[in-house]
Amino acid sequence: MQKNPVPPAHSSLVAIGDSFTEGMSDLTADGSYRGWADVLATRMAARTPGFRYANLAVRGKLIGQIVEEQVDVAVAMRPDVITLVGGLNDTLRPKCDMVRVRDLLTEAVERLAPACEQLVLMRSPGRQGPVLERFRPRMEELFAVVDELAERHGALVVDLYGAPSLADPRMWDVDRLHLTAEGHRRVAEAVWQTLGHEPEDPEWRTPIPATAPPGWVARRVADARFTRQYLLPWIGRRLTGRSSGDGREPKRPELLPYEA
């Protein structure tokens, strides 16, 4: 019987992007965010002594900012694996130049691919609901660019957009923009498998069991809380040109030995 090929023992990982890769809303006990990239790094470190990890992602970053602030830093580190997830924040803006997004994403991939053994791109998950439906055409245009660039440059693509489990609103935090801890765990599993490792959770795509939906009053209370705590501040930042990541530094700016 033919054995499955042994995946390469990657010794370093650099993750770049926005809040999705920073780890919001996988909140830990000390108030910091963990997220799928940290979970993935933990698995890789357990497999490879001396494993090094950097996470340059910062919440709120547009693809232009990722290219300007993170790409050259990641290239200089010359890691075995680089993950790039970006452009989705652009598609959620009222005005979005998709030609510019394509050009910037292309520039990022062209610079990152030669600087690592394996570049990993993603089709980001989409939460069921009106926001997804409103921006679906832009998102799918972005993902078409991701697929095209991956084929051209030998990058791997992790398809989270097509995973039923991650479309479930219960996988998303109360802000309706970021995954829960369980959502991030499933993303880490998806990347782990895409890199060629044996599955730890073969059913990561499978939705969690159905539960009774919340009642009308509970939904209205949740809607009011969401509007007050998240939607209105988000609109305010858009109107004033501010970002939730303004002045914020990456949580792991250097490629250093990693311990969970």
Side-chain angles (χ1 to χ4, degrees):
M1 183 175 62
Q2 185 178 8
K3 294 183 178 180
N4 292 330
V6 177
H10 296 300
S11 63
S12 53
L13 166 68
V14 174
I16 68 176
D18 51 35
S19 59
F20 174 69
T21 302
E22 182 184 346
M24 297 174 71
S25 290
D26 184 5
L27 196 63
T28 65
D30 66 1
S32 63
Y33 290 110
R34 181 174 48 189
W36 66 265
D38 286 14
V39 176
L40 177 66
T42 299
R43 293 190 184 186
M44 298 174 79
R47 190 174 184 271
T48 306
F51 179 81
R52 297 175 300 151
Y53 170 50
N55 190 323
L56 309 178
V58 176
R59 66 196 69 172
K61 294 299 181 182
L62 304 174
I63 186 61
Q65 294 170 307
I66 293 171
V67 171
E68 181 179 352
E69 301 168 12
Q70 301 177 27
V71 167
D72 281 345
V73 179
V75 167
M77 291 177 175
R78 310 294 297 190
D80 289 348
V81 178
I82 297 177
T83 65
L84 165 64
V85 188
L88 197 62
N89 281 337
D90 297 77
T91 69
L92 298 178
R93 295 293 177 105
K95 295 181 180 179
C96 173
D97 183 348
M98 288 302 297
V99 173
R100 183 172 184 272
V101 171
R102 169 190 281 271
D103 291 345
L104 288 167
L105 191 58
T106 299
E107 178 184 348
V109 171
E110 289 177 345
R111 288 158 60 182
L112 292 168
C116 61
E117 293 182 8
Q118 185 60 69
L119 178 63
V120 178
L121 308 176
M122 295 189 201
R123 294 161 57 92
S124 305
R127 180 186 186 275
Q128 292 175 351
V131 173
L132 174 62
E133 293 310 314
R134 179 180 179 185
F135 295 104
R136 186 187 294 275
R138 287 183 185 174
M139 293 171 63
E140 294 186 346
E141 184 177 349
L142 174 68
F143 299 154
V145 175
V146 168
D147 290 343
E148 176 187 324
L149 290 172
E151 183 175 1
R152 190 188 311 165
H153 295 278
L156 297 173
V157 177
V158 184
D159 184 16
L160 307 173
Y161 183 69
S165 60
L166 296 178
D168 189 327
R170 292 172 296 173
M171 286 287 175
W172 296 75
D173 193 50
V174 293
D175 66 1
R176 305 180 185 181
L177 286 174
H178 301 106
L179 291 170
T180 62
E182 175 60 14
H184 279 284
R185 185 197 67 78
R186 294 190 183 220
V187 172
E189 178 67 31
V191 183
W192 177 255
Q193 293 184 27
T194 302
L195 286 170
H197 297 284
E198 286 293 323
E200 294 189 13
D201 176 12
E203 304 298 325
W204 73 267
R205 289 177 173 270
T206 303
I208 57 179
T211 57
W216 185 89
V217 173
R219 294 199 305 273
R220 298 295 77 77
V221 170
D223 288 344
R225 177 188 178 193
F226 163 72
T227 300
R228 182 179 65 255
Q229 292 187 237
Y230 301 103
L231 181 59
L232 292 178
W234 184 85
I235 293 172
R237 290 194 298 271
R238 298 292 80 76
L239 293 176
T240 58
R242 293 178 292 116
S243 167
S244 57
D246 288 348
R248 186 175 295 274
E249 297 296 321
K251 66 179 183 180
R252 293 188 62 87
E254 299 181 69
L255 188 59
L256 298 173
Y258 180 70
E259 293 183 4

